Structures are given as structure tokens and as C-alpha cells.
Amino acid sequence: MMSIRLLALAKPHALKRSLPQICSANLSSLRRQHENKTTAFCQPGSCFNKIDDHKQRTWPPLLAGHNCGRFFSLTPAGIVNAAPASVQPYLRLMRLDKPIGTWLLYLPCTWSIGLAADPGCLPHLGMLALFGVGALLMRGAGCTINDMWDKDFDKKVSRTATRPIASGEITPFQALVFLGGQLSLGLGVLLCLNYYSIALGAASLSLVVTYPLMKRITYWPQFVLGLTFNWGALLGWSAVKGSCDWSVCLPLYVSGVMWTLIYDTIYAHQDKDDDLKVGVKSTALRFQENTKLWLSGFTGAMLSGLVLAGANADQTLPYYCAVSAVAIHLIHQIYTVDINRPEDCWKKFASNRNLGLLLFLGIVTGNLWKKRNDQQYETQLNSISN
């Protein structure tokens, strides 16, 4: 201390210049030590290993370290990471870590089940649960079929090169056996329905199998995907009512197909450069810079179908308010998406889950509103008769 004071008296200006340098050197040393510890802690196989991709968000993952304890995450990726290592490739093959596709398959089923509910009643909860299980299984089966067809293409595309079949984690034969298990469980779900619905559901299997081939043949594979993904708009009503009321089911189905053309064209813009390289076709390549104009036309057709389905199902004010909100959501989605930014395309694509839930909420509240209208009508009749 005495030496520092003497130095300060002798060379005050030199000390002022040297102290910041000493502090800066000490801070830099501490920062390097911290970075080295962090780097070591985040190496593959350690407790915190972050995989960050705009298509596959696995953060926060299951934080499971060999010596650091075990922390469980209820996110889809966390559930997959919690599974035994030998099971994880199969869960990723059925896209259990990416549930958005299951939602988009399930939501048209919920619309149909909701519209089929009796006036003033909630949708059939058992059917909603059954169709949820079916959507999970059939979406997994569809992904397995898709990856079996596309294994050679997937190897050439950076986004899909890590898929289990393309990367060699699962052999084609193992995938075939796994597919058989998924389809068997799906059949078990289907057999819980009435005979009309069993036949109707079985008719969709040809679409499930052939859809992955369409990208090799036509620039409209998204249309075939729409036919496949929205089959639940027919099946949900028949499961509740015993058969389809085509005046409601058909416009609802067409609306769903238009919706799929919208969100899957946006999705396809993520891969358009890779698709050109490997020779795969899509509506994104077909529409190119006219994409927003085409999507606007699909939006008009979707909204028209929803209005017609609602009118034929005697829907009420909350339903049409929800349809209006859906229109606003779609307009914002289409006219703000940057089709040349994959991250923005993914964000807009994933937002369609909320759109589907919004419409389902409108269907449920609109159906509950019917009872209120019926009671008001009965009250008016009673007052007139008295």
C-alpha cells in the first residue's frame, strides 16, 4: 500500500493510465475462464447441448447430464429426448418432436365434430379425444411413408438430411415394420366408429400412400395434401351423426383444402432452392412471385366455404365473428410473409394452429348460442299464445 501511495505521489498521471489497463486485463482473464467453462459444459454429451434450428426447436431440451442431475421438460422435443436412445429415432420419424403437423391434421376433425353437436351442447368429448389419438397416429404414419419414398431426396437437402431414414439411423425395413404398427393402431381407432365412418376412413388410405409421389409428378402436391389432411372434415361429422350431411361437410372440406394450399405453399417456400436442385415440384415453384395473389384467391374460396357450411349448419353470430377473425389472420399472414426468408415462412406456417383453434372456438360458442336463440323464440311464442 505504501509503495502505491508513493507511486501515486510521484507519477499520478501514469497511475491513472495504468489502472484501467490492469482492470481490463483482469476482466479479460476472467471472461476467458468463464467462456472456457461454458464451452466445456456445452459440449455434445454434456448437460446443456442446444440444437437451434428454425424448423426444429429443441431448447430447452431434456436437460439430462451424466453427473449433473436430470431435469424434465414437457415440450415435445423434451419428451422425445427423455425416451431411450434406441426409441428416439422412431419418435422423430413420426415427428413427435414437431407437433404442428398433427395439429393441422386434427383441427378439421374438431370443426366437423363441433358443427355436428346438438344445438346448445358442447362437442362430443369422446370423439375429440379419439380423433386426437387418430391424428397423432396417422400423421406419424404419413411421415413414415413420406420419408420412405423420399430417402434419396432427403439426403441431398440440408434441412432433411438428418431424418432417421436418410441418415441411416433406421433402415427401410425397420421403417416398414414401424409403419405397420402405426397403421394397425390407427385401424383400431377407426374400428371404434360406425360402419359408414369405417368405410369413409378407409377410403383415405390411398391418398395417404400416394401423396408423397405427387411432388415428382405435378406442381400441385399441396392440393393432394389438402385432400388428405382435411378428410377429417368429412369423417368427424359422420362419426357423430352416422353419415355425412354433404351440404355442411362438402363446403367445410373444400375450405380445409384451400387452407392447406395456403399454409403449405408458404411452407414450401422454405425449400424452393433445394427443390429446384433435386427436381421436386411444389406450388411455391409454380406460383413464384405471384404467390400472394394465388393465396388471396384461396383465402376467398376458404371463407366462402366456411360461410356456406355455417349457414347450412344454422350457425350463429359467434361463428361468423370467428370467421371474420380468421379472415383478418389470413390477410395479415399472406401480406406480411416474406417468401424469401425461410424463418418467416416457418413462423407464418406455424401460426395456422392458432387460426384453426380460433375457428373451433367460434364453432363451439356459436353452437352454444343456438340454445339461447331457441329459448328466446319459445318465450316469444308463449307470450303470443298468452
Side-chain angles (χ1 to χ4, degrees):
M1 289 296 294
M2 183 62 70
S3 61
I4 293 176
R5 288 176 182 172
L6 291 173
L7 182 61
L9 290 172
K11 296 181 180 180
H13 297 293
L15 182 62
K16 288 180 181 179
R17 289 193 299 270
S18 62
L19 281 175
Q21 296 172 358
I22 294 170
C23 293
S24 176
N26 289 335
L27 288 172
S28 298
S29 177
L30 289 171
R31 187 180 295 111
R32 283 194 299 271
Q33 293 176 14
H34 174 72
E35 289 174 351
N36 290 337
K37 291 178 181 179
T38 303
T39 302
F41 199 54
C42 294
Q43 292 300 318
S46 66
C47 294
F48 295 89
N49 181 26
K50 178 178 176 180
I51 303 172
D52 190 2
D53 181 78
H54 73 273
K55 289 296 302 297
Q56 182 176 355
R57 303 287 184 182
T58 60
W59 182 261
L62 174 73
L63 303 179
H66 299 293
N67 299 315
C68 303
R70 194 170 181 87
F71 305 89
F72 185 74
S73 170
L74 287 177
T75 62
I79 293 171
V80 170
N81 291 337
S86 59
V87 176
Q88 289 183 25
Y90 293 95
L91 300 182
R92 288 190 284 109
L93 179 61
M94 64 183 297
R95 310 290 196 273
L96 195 65
D97 55 335
K98 300 176 184 177
I100 180 61
T102 303
W103 277 110
L104 296 175
L105 178 61
Y106 177 55
L107 284 165
C109 306
T110 68
W111 303 344
S112 189
I113 293 170
L115 286 171
D118 292 331
C121 297
L122 290 170
H124 195 296
L125 298 181
M127 284 297 175
L128 289 174
L130 191 65
F131 273 74
V133 174
L136 181 66
L137 291 169
M138 293 311 297
R139 192 258 178 151
C143 290
T144 302
I145 294 170
N146 181 80
D147 288 6
M148 291 173 68
W149 282 119
D150 289 353
K151 63 181 185 298
D152 294 329
F153 287 144
D154 288 344
K155 294 175 183 178
K156 302 175 184 178
V157 178
S158 58
R159 184 179 63 81
T160 59
T162 58
R163 287 178 175 174
I165 299 177
S167 63
E169 291 181 271
I170 295 176
T171 66
F173 178 75
Q174 289 172 325
L176 183 62
V177 173
F178 184 56
L179 174 63
Q182 292 175 94
L183 292 176
S184 297
L185 292 173
L187 177 61
V189 171
L190 187 63
L191 292 176
C192 295
L193 306 180
N194 55 63
Y195 291 124
Y196 182 99
S197 300
I198 291 172
L200 184 63
S204 68
L205 191 59
S206 60
L207 289 170
V208 175
V209 173
T210 58
Y211 156 69
L213 296 174
M214 293 299 107
K215 66 186 76 172
R216 298 166 170 80
I217 301 170
T218 176
Y219 281 101
W220 292 86
Q222 281 71 26
F223 176 72
V224 182
L225 179 67
L227 296 176
T228 308
F229 253 51
N230 293 280
W231 204 259
L234 309 176
L235 196 58
W237 183 286
S238 72
V240 175
K241 296 290 191 181
S243 62
C244 285
D245 180 347
W246 294 106
S247 68
V248 177
C249 294
L250 192 58
L252 184 67
Y253 180 61
V254 171
S255 293
V257 174
M258 295 298 106
W259 183 43
T260 302
L261 278 166
I262 295 167
Y263 67 66
D264 208 57
T265 297
I266 293 173
Y267 179 91
H269 271 283
Q270 297 177 109
D271 298 331
K272 55 189 175 184
D273 293 335
D274 288 324
D275 288 347
L276 281 172
K277 293 176 183 177
V278 300
V280 170
K281 300 177 175 66
S282 72
T283 49
L285 296 177
R286 172 67 177 80
F287 302 155
Q288 298 185 15
E289 296 305 316
N290 293 321
T291 290
K292 295 188 177 184
L293 182 62
W294 278 92
L295 298 189
S296 299
F298 297 147
T299 297
M302 176 185 177
L303 296 174
S304 299
L306 291 177
V307 170
L308 181 58
N312 291 335
D314 297 322
Q315 270 293 338
T316 54
L317 180 63
Y319 172 82
Y320 295 104
C321 290
V323 172
S324 299
V326 165
I328 294 170
H329 189 291
L330 285 171
I331 291 169
H332 176 267
Q333 185 181 153
I334 292 169
Y335 287 97
T336 60
V337 65
D338 185 346
I339 58 175
N340 296 313
R341 284 185 57 229
E343 297 83 1
D344 193 47
C345 290
W346 170 255
K347 181 180 177 181
K348 296 299 191 300
F349 165 75
S351 72
N352 281 278
R353 183 198 67 169
N354 296 336
L355 183 152
L357 289 171
L358 179 63
L359 181 58
F360 176 63
L361 180 62
I363 291 171
V364 173
T365 53
N367 205 52
L368 294 175
W369 192 276
K370 291 180 185 180
K371 186 173 183 179
R372 176 183 173 182
N373 290 348
D374 291 343
Q375 289 175 342
Q376 289 177 343
Y377 180 69
E378 290 176 3
T379 303
Q380 291 174 356
L381 286 177
N382 291 333
S383 62
I384 293 172
S385 62
N386 293 334

